[in-house]
């Protein structure tokens, strides 16, 4: 979300999504509130600090780690305030293990992705940190059915060997798909059987791999789908995987009418030959990616637009 006021953000998201509130991220506050820094602050026995090139592992928790944890606590305080008495699904999110490995630097300046041992240690630390985080969320909002979202915008680049080295002249080797899947499965398991969504806003989302890893839902930018994705999406829906379809832009642009926003979803459903009545059960409508780059007014309108578009889809699936 845009801005830096945790209470205002919590008030907006709980008011807009009464049936599915979420813990907002406010990266405009600076390092430690950004998605990488925020998740780095959750790690157990691993610490990171800000360097000119980005986030790099350090020996001890410094001011950047403390700042990240402080802001997360502030956001949790605000969420707790505005979810008094709430019972139902509540989404929290963190960066997934592979995007984190692509973004965090080792002491030599290279991405953690260059070192398989570092990737394993990072995934283990992340899993433990997420367990503690989810426990804290449940303590603060006892009625919550916690939905964990893992943000993996770099996942496709990791699988295809497109993550650049520190020099920028080469790329890191593609990581074996079985290793990627097994690591994701371990991190997904931290929600104790609760639903986990994996978000990837890149083309060629690996739907089948994410399903095998245990993702209950896949979140994606709907505008990046091609007919090459049809079979994977059809298999996912028939297998019970929910789709978080990003149909509302994440930056300030004119919004179409709610029915127009879901026209592509209806078209996809017809093309796949899926039962129209299944739409409301299988699809959740979201912004295409984060709203941090939008104005506060547009972010509020985008969330409200998602709700209206979802009602349009449920009322008229055909």
């Amino acid at each position: 979300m845009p801005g830096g006021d945790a209470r205002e953000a919590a008030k907006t998201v709980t008011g807009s999504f009464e049936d599915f509130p979420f813990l907002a991220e406010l990266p405009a506050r600076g390092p430690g509130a950004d998605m990488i820094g925020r998740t780095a602050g959750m790690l157990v026995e691993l610490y990171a600090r800000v360097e000119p090139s980005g986030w790099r592992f350090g020996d001890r928790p410094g001011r950047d780690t403390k700042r990240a944890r402080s802001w997360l606590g502030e956001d949790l305080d605000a969420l707790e305030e505005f979810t008094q008495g709430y019972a139902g699904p509540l989404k929290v999110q963190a960066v997934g293990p592979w995007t984190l490995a692509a973004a965090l630097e080792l002491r030599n300046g290279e991405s953690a992705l260059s070192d398989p041992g570092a990737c394993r240690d990072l995934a283990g630390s992340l899993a433990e940190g997420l367990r503690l985080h989810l426990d804290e969320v449940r303590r603060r909002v006892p009625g919550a059915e916690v939905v964990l979202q893992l943000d993996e915008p770099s996942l496709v680049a990791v699988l295809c060997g497109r993550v650049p080295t520190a020099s920028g002249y080469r790329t890191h080797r593609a990581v074996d798909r079985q290793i990627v899947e097994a690591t994701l499965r371990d991190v997904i398991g931290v929600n104790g059987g609760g639903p986990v969504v994996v978000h990837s806003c890149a083309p060629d989302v690996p739907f089948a791999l994410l399903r095998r890893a245990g993702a209950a839902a896949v979140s994606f930018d709907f505008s990046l789908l091609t007919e090459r994705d049809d079979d994977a999406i059809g298999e996912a829906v028939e297998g019970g995987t929910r789709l978080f379809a990003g149909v509302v832009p994440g930056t300030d642009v004119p919004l179409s009418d709610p029915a127009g926003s879901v026209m592509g979803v209806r078209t996809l459903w017809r093309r796949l030959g899926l039962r129209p009545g299944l739409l409301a059960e299988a699809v959740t409508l979201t912004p295409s990616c984060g709203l941090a780059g939008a104005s506060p007014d547009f972010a509020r309108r985008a969330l409200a637009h998602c709700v209206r578009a979802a009602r349009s889809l449920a009322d008229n699936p055909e």
Side-chain angles (χ1 to χ4, degrees):
M1 292 288 286
D5 187 327
R7 291 187 74 257
E8 184 62 31
K11 181 180 179 181
T12 297
V13 300
T14 54
S16 299
F17 287 171
E18 294 177 359
D19 300 320
F20 196 17
F22 59 92
L23 178 63
E25 294 181 359
L26 302 173
R29 291 180 296 197
D34 61 296
M35 58 184 267
I36 299 299
R38 184 180 182 88
T39 301
M42 297 180 191
L43 297 176
V44 173
E45 296 183 357
L46 288 178
Y47 312 106
R49 64 178 185 270
V50 177
E51 297 286 345
S53 55
W55 284 88
R56 183 174 296 184
F57 286 116
D59 296 323
R60 60 185 65 84
R63 63 181 181 183
D64 297 321
T65 297
K66 293 173 183 174
R67 186 189 300 119
R69 291 175 177 174
S70 174
W71 273 328
L72 178 58
E74 185 179 306
D75 294 337
L76 286 167
D77 288 343
L79 181 71
E80 182 179 5
E81 177 183 349
F82 286 97
T83 51
Q84 293 294 313
Y86 174 75
L90 171 70
K91 185 173 76 69
V92 300
Q93 62 200 57
V95 177
W98 293 108
T99 295
L100 203 58
L104 284 175
E105 298 174 358
L106 302 174
R107 290 175 179 82
N108 64 5
E110 280 297 349
S111 161
L113 195 64
S114 64
D115 184 336
C119 289
R120 286 193 296 272
D121 291 345
L122 181 57
S125 175
L126 174 64
E128 185 58 32
L130 284 174
R131 282 191 191 94
L132 296 173
H133 178 52
L134 296 175
D135 287 346
E136 177 71 4
V137 172
R138 293 187 181 101
R139 184 186 69 78
R140 288 171 176 263
V141 191
E145 301 162 14
V146 180
V147 178
L148 172 62
Q149 176 174 310
L150 296 175
D151 288 326
E152 283 282 14
S154 298
L155 179 62
V156 174
V158 168
L159 289 167
C160 298
R162 295 202 297 260
V163 177
T165 58
S167 68
Y169 294 118
R170 296 183 298 110
T171 57
H172 293 288
R173 293 175 58 182
V175 180
D176 184 274
R177 297 179 78 88
Q178 290 184 331
I179 294 174
V180 170
E181 182 182 325
T183 301
L184 282 169
R185 185 179 299 112
D186 289 344
V187 177
I188 285 171
V190 304
N191 202 20
V196 176
V197 185
V198 179
H199 170 73
S200 178
C201 48
D204 302 318
V205 175
F207 287 94
L209 183 152
L210 296 176
R211 286 178 54 223
R212 292 194 303 270
V218 180
S219 171
F220 55 93
D221 182 342
F222 190 83
S223 70
L224 298 179
L225 290 185
T226 69
E227 292 192 16
R228 294 197 311 271
D229 299 305
D230 281 7
D231 288 345
I233 291 175
E235 289 172 8
V237 172
E238 290 173 351
T241 303
R242 195 172 185 93
L243 305 179
F244 279 37
V247 298
V248 178
T251 53
D252 293 47
V253 295
L255 293 172
S256 66
D257 65 287
S261 294
V262 295
M263 189 181 304
V265 179
R266 291 194 182 98
T267 300
L268 171 66
W269 228 246
R270 286 195 295 269
R271 197 164 71 227
L272 295 176
L274 295 168
R275 180 169 56 85
L278 187 61
L279 261 173
E281 301 170 23
V283 176
T284 297
L285 300 180
T286 73
S288 58
C289 201
L291 290 166
S295 67
D297 176 65
F298 180 84
R300 286 190 290 269
R301 288 191 290 115
L303 295 180
H305 191 85
C306 286
V307 174
R308 290 195 297 270
R311 287 178 182 147
S312 170
L313 197 61
D315 292 343
N316 182 20
E318 300 187 70

